[in-house]
Amino acid sequence: MTTTEAADAAGAAVPTPGAPEAPSDQAQGQAQVHALAQAQAQAHEVHGYHKQKDEHLKRLRRIEGQIRGLQRMVEEDVYCIDILTQVSASTKALQSFALQLLEEHLRHCVADAAVKGGTEIDAKVEEATKAIARMLRT
């Protein structure tokens, strides 16, 4: 995509060849082109869990089966302590999955931001810290 096409897609005024642009219009157009390029890059971004996606889906299906088992246990009036044991196992399975996903996020997304430098690393570390805090609350 050319800069002119990207600016047009972003809703920016497309400069006429040979016509001078006002500096503020040019800066605004460049900002819009940059925002569009960034949005397109994020849409095609490979996440840290991408390499293990099939394994993760398999694991989540297994956890889903545990939850359905819990529903069945309640429907069949199974003893409370037995249900609680299965709740604990399901909870641990989800926590383990979350930790694996967090590790992959740190290794891929946060490490990538650290290499790029700038404010992106601060944003990624803050994002990961908030995710850890949410996990600790549960």
Side-chain angles (χ1 to χ4, degrees):
M1 176 181 289
T2 67
T3 304
T4 304
E5 291 170 335
D8 188 40
V14 178
T16 306
E21 251 186 72
S24 61
D25 289 342
Q26 185 177 13
Q28 183 181 11
Q30 288 175 345
Q32 288 176 336
V33 169
H34 178 70
L36 177 64
Q38 193 172 25
Q40 288 174 339
Q42 287 177 347
H44 299 293
E45 187 176 323
V46 175
H47 299 289
Y49 61 84
H50 181 74
K51 291 180 183 177
Q52 290 83 20
K53 188 174 181 177
D54 290 338
E55 294 170 32
H56 289 322
L57 289 171
K58 183 178 177 181
R59 192 172 189 182
L60 287 169
R61 285 186 202 101
R62 195 168 37 245
I63 294 168
E64 180 183 22
Q66 287 179 294
I67 303 305
R68 287 190 182 157
L70 283 166
Q71 292 171 335
R72 190 171 45 254
M73 291 173 82
V74 171
E75 287 171 355
E76 296 172 359
D77 293 320
V78 173
Y79 186 58
C80 301
I81 299 301
D82 294 337
I83 296 172
L84 288 171
T85 300
Q86 290 306 311
V87 167
S88 179
S90 300
T91 301
K92 293 293 182 192
L94 276 172
Q95 288 172 340
S96 177
F97 173 74
L99 282 173
Q100 179 67 38
L101 205 58
L102 178 62
E103 180 182 353
E104 291 166 2
H105 176 69
L106 292 172
R107 288 185 188 279
H108 181 267
C109 302
V110 176
D112 186 53
V115 168
K116 290 178 182 174
T119 59
E120 189 173 345
I121 182 62
D122 294 332
K124 290 292 182 183
V125 168
E126 182 179 349
E127 182 182 60
T129 302
K130 287 179 180 179
I132 293 166
R134 284 190 303 271
M135 287 173 55
L136 291 175
R137 281 192 290 258
T138 57

